[in-house]
Amino acid sequence: MIEAGDEVVSEAEVVDEEIPCVRVRRGTLPDKIDRLEPKERQGLTVVITGNGKGKTTSALGMAVRACGHGQRVCIIQFMKGDLYAGEWDGVRQLTGVELHTTGKGFCGIQGNPYPFSEHRDNAHDALDLAREKMASGKFDLVILDEINNALKLKLVDLEPVLELLRSKPALLHLVLTGRDAHPEVVELADTVSEVNEIKHAYRKGIEPQPGIDY
Amino acid sequence: MIEAGDEVVSEAEVVDEEIPCVRVRRGTLPDKIDRLEPKERQGLTVVITGNGKGKTTSALGMAVRACGHGQRVCIIQFMKGDLYAGEWDGVRQLTGVELHTTGKGFCGIQGNPYPFSEHRDNAHDALDLAREKMASGKFDLVILDEINNALKLKLVDLEPVLELLRSKPALLHLVLTGRDAHPEVVELADTVSEVNEIKHAYRKGIEPQPGIDY
């Protein structure tokens, strides 16, 4: 086993038991690897909004990170369910992570055949599921993917969403994604990022690509 | 097995073989689940930059997604290596994903004991590793985490990074993360998102929390 601080001058792959993969050809590894441990554990409410690519993927990345800490994760995808996405199979490989698709696609998008009432029923069921999972005590991280969008499209009402945020167990992390996050949701959150599109491949006619876009 | 279009009225968890987890209490599942397949496969260059939370996590989410499609992924973390992060263990659970930490922490950050020259040596090694992995033909997605930052801090020079982008194999997806992406890197990319901080928990004195922040 390679110790931190060891000199490693090798062309070969250096795999440490403590670190998944470390490769340094010249110089040394860091003298030590620190581990943060907050004095106080606190469950955060995180909102990832904006019109750019990287909101759902960011939430999925937090699932990977949480999983590495041995935490249990529940992902509830609002509206999604009619179009296959790689994460449906990707998260199967992560221990302690479950994913629920609860919808019939993006309401109001051209070609979507379902009436508003069906989208709304599904979104209400998703909200019930969220409430139940959050209160179950079984999870460290609950991700409500596209809930901001569902709120904007009036598939769910503001008050029950705010009530969900207010009733969050203290140690539970809650992540809400989707465009157009409501200002009152932003107000209640601890960390909020807005992902803005600078460029997107589809604008030059490139179709969505597996692994990146879905 | 539940078929798309089936009516599902149950309080029980409904798990479909095709979908990781579907739960609908009222109404129906979507009539069908579509699968996108682009007419032309194309490897994209994606840049995730900005000062907000959700850049590395977004790249990790793309790794999950790619993994779900059976793609092979190589993640090279520039500068990181001195501070444990949950993703080091999280990605171990993903088939076909490897992760390399190549650094000694963020250069110039208070308390970091290593001289600039060591950070620069490590970043150069990371760049060599990136070149090798990209050319190996073994990966569908290569993630260069914090490379924008390394470039901004002059740990690597602009020209070799641009050369890396220009020499990208046509079908390989390449993701570059980190603050302050260089305009010429942005110019060469297909999709670019800027993640802006609206709020961050640390501003109200909350320490970084495992599963969310690291």
Side-chain angles (χ1 to χ4, degrees), chain B residues 144-214:
Chain B
L144 306 180
D145 186 36
E146 303 294 356
I147 190 172
N148 296 331
N149 237 327
L151 186 54
K152 177 74 177 178
L153 293 167
K154 301 194 187 301
L155 302 181
V156 293
D157 299 321
L158 177 60
E159 195 44 46
V161 174
L162 295 179
E163 187 47 38
L164 210 62
L165 270 68
R166 290 192 204 105
S167 65
K168 182 185 78 59
L171 292 179
L172 178 72
H173 297 309
L174 181 64
V175 174
L176 303 95
T177 80
R179 291 174 181 226
D180 298 313
H182 193 284
E184 291 195 53
V185 169
V186 168
E187 179 61 33
L188 287 177
D190 301 296
T191 293
V192 180
S193 291
E194 187 176 74
V195 184
N196 293 317
E197 179 190 317
I198 305 295
K199 298 167 91 166
H200 201 294
Y202 76 81
R203 296 200 187 271
K204 49 179 177 174
I206 299 174
E207 291 171 284
Q209 299 292 323
I212 295 289
D213 298 303
Y214 67 92

Side-chain angles (χ1 to χ4, degrees), chain A residues 13 17-26 28-42 44 46 48 52-54 56-58 60-62 64-69 71 81-84 86-95 98-104 114 118 121-122 124-125 128-129 132-133 141 173 175 186-201 204 206-214, chain B residues 13 17-26 28-42 44 46 48 52-54 56-58 60-62 64-69 71 81-84 86-95 98-104 114 118 121-122 124-125 128-129 132-133 141 173 175 186-187 189-201 204 206-214:
Chain A
E13 204 87 341
E17 286 163 35
E18 290 293 315
I19 314 168
C21 235
V22 173
R23 179 176 174 146
V24 181
R25 293 191 197 179
R26 293 178 292 192
T28 56
L29 296 175
D31 297 326
K32 61 183 171 59
I33 296 168
D34 285 323
R35 277 184 183 255
L36 290 177
E37 184 52 60
K39 284 184 207 77
E40 194 185 355
R41 286 286 184 115
Q42 189 165 335
L44 300 176
V46 178
I48 312 281
K53 181 203 171 24
T56 296
T57 45
S58 180
L60 292 169
M62 284 184 257
V64 172
R65 195 167 266 176
C67 184
H69 287 282
Q71 298 179 1
D82 66 333
L83 190 60
Y84 176 80
E87 62 260 31
W88 296 0
D89 283 311
V91 299
R92 286 182 201 252
Q93 297 183 15
L94 296 171
T95 305
E98 60 179 57
L99 183 148
H100 305 260
T101 64
T102 66
K104 295 191 175 79
Y114 305 101
E118 278 194 39
D121 279 356
N122 282 32
H124 275 86
D125 293 336
D128 288 345
L129 187 60
E132 179 190 318
K133 295 290 182 180
L141 168 59
H173 297 308
V175 175
V186 168
E187 179 61 33
L188 288 178
D190 301 296
T191 293
V192 180
S193 291
E194 187 176 75
V195 184
N196 293 318
E197 178 189 319
I198 305 294
K199 299 166 91 165
H200 200 295
K204 48 180 179 174
I206 298 174
E207 293 170 281
Q209 299 292 323
I212 295 289
D213 298 304
Y214 67 90
Chain B
E13 204 87 339
E17 288 164 32
E18 291 294 314
I19 314 168
C21 235
V22 173
R23 178 178 175 146
V24 180
R25 294 190 195 176
R26 293 178 293 192
T28 57
L29 297 174
D31 297 326
K32 61 182 172 61
I33 296 167
D34 286 323
R35 277 184 183 256
L36 290 177
E37 184 50 60
K39 284 183 208 79
E40 194 185 353
R41 287 286 184 116
Q42 189 165 334
L44 300 177
V46 177
I48 312 283
K53 181 203 168 24
T56 297
T57 45
S58 180
L60 292 169
M62 284 185 257
V64 172
R65 196 168 264 174
C67 183
H69 287 283
Q71 298 179 3
D82 67 332
L83 190 59
Y84 177 79
E87 62 259 31
W88 294 1
D89 282 311
V91 299
R92 285 182 201 253
Q93 297 183 15
L94 295 171
T95 305
E98 60 179 57
L99 183 148
H100 305 260
T101 64
T102 66
K104 295 191 174 81
Y114 305 101
E118 277 194 40
D121 278 356
N122 282 32
H124 275 87
D125 292 336
D128 287 346
L129 186 61
E132 178 190 319
K133 294 290 182 181
L141 168 59
H173 297 309
V175 174
V186 168
E187 179 61 33
D190 301 296
T191 293
V192 180
S193 291
E194 187 176 74
V195 184
N196 293 317
E197 179 190 317
I198 305 295
K199 298 167 91 166
H200 201 294
K204 49 179 177 174
I206 299 174
E207 291 171 284
Q209 299 292 323
I212 295 289
D213 298 303
Y214 67 92

